Amino acid sequence: MFMLILTTLTLLLVTFGLLKFFSVKRPLTITLIVGLAISTVSTISLWLNYKASFDGQDGIAITNKISYWIITDGTQWSQELFMDYFIYFLSVTILITVMVIISVSTKKRTRVG
């Protein structure tokens, strides 16, 4: 999990640096939107994995690659573990959404006339 977080933060820093280098207007907002997209996909994958754990299978398994990258084999899988990961990523997604809304709503307003 630590490596995934580190990789994601590195990707976002590189995105921000490239946007700043190419003089894109509002690079922080665009970087936050990219982070929101990544977080949303991860949250949806974890939710699908959590819901699949309730199927009438013989055991519990991870159903998609993104969830496997996040949870990995290092822990003993359980429905509670899947729910904990989903709630954590949902919280991060909500936090990034609030940051995007604040970033978009604080743009400089110009007066006409």
Side-chain angles (χ1 to χ4, degrees), residues 66-80:
I66 296 174
S67 295
Y68 184 75
W69 290 338
I70 295 169
I71 298 172
T72 68
D73 284 330
T75 58
Q76 185 149 359
W77 298 337
S78 67
Q79 290 175 341
E80 293 81 22

Side-chain angles (χ1 to χ4, degrees), residues 9-10 20 22 28 34 36 46 50 56 62 67 73 78 80-81 85 87 90 93 95 99 105 109:
L9 288 175
T10 304
K20 194 81 167 160
F22 289 112
L28 181 62
V34 169
L36 180 62
L46 289 167
Y50 172 69
I62 293 181
S67 295
D73 284 330
S78 67
E80 293 81 22
L81 178 73
Y85 273 97
I87 289 173
L90 181 64
T93 302
L95 178 68
M99 291 170 60
S105 67
R109 302 188 195 299

Side-chain angles (χ1 to χ4, degrees), residues 48-57 60 79 83:
L48 291 173
N49 189 60
Y50 172 69
K51 287 298 183 185
S53 69
F54 286 108
D55 289 344
Q57 300 173 0
I60 193 166
Q79 290 175 341
M83 181 61 144

Side-chain angles (χ1 to χ4, degrees):
M1 170 111 165
F2 177 73
M3 288 304 293
L4 181 70
I5 292 171
L6 188 63
T7 304
T8 304
L9 288 175
T10 304
L11 174 72
L12 292 176
L13 285 174
V14 167
T15 302
F16 180 76
L18 286 173
L19 292 172
K20 194 81 167 160
F21 178 76
F22 289 112
S23 301
V24 174
K25 290 183 181 180
R26 306 184 63 80
L28 181 62
T29 303
I30 294 172
T31 304
L32 285 173
I33 291 171
V34 169
L36 180 62
I38 293 169
S39 181
T40 302
V41 168
S42 300
T43 303
I44 291 170
S45 296
L46 289 167
W47 178 75
L48 291 173
N49 189 60
Y50 172 69
K51 287 298 183 185
S53 69
F54 286 108
D55 289 344
Q57 300 173 0
D58 288 339
I60 193 166
I62 293 181
T63 58
N64 57 57
K65 283 254 191 222
I66 296 174
S67 295
Y68 184 75
W69 290 338
I70 295 169
I71 298 172
T72 68
D73 284 330
T75 58
Q76 185 149 359
W77 298 337
S78 67
Q79 290 175 341
E80 293 81 22
L81 178 73
F82 294 162
M83 181 61 144
D84 290 343
Y85 273 97
F86 167 68
I87 289 173
Y88 173 73
F89 272 80
L90 181 64
S91 303
V92 170
T93 302
I94 291 171
L95 178 68
I96 293 173
T97 303
V98 169
M99 291 170 60
V100 167
I101 290 171
I102 290 171
S103 176
V104 168
S105 67
T106 59
K107 69 178 186 177
K108 295 180 181 179
R109 302 188 195 299
T110 57
R111 289 190 169 173
V112 177

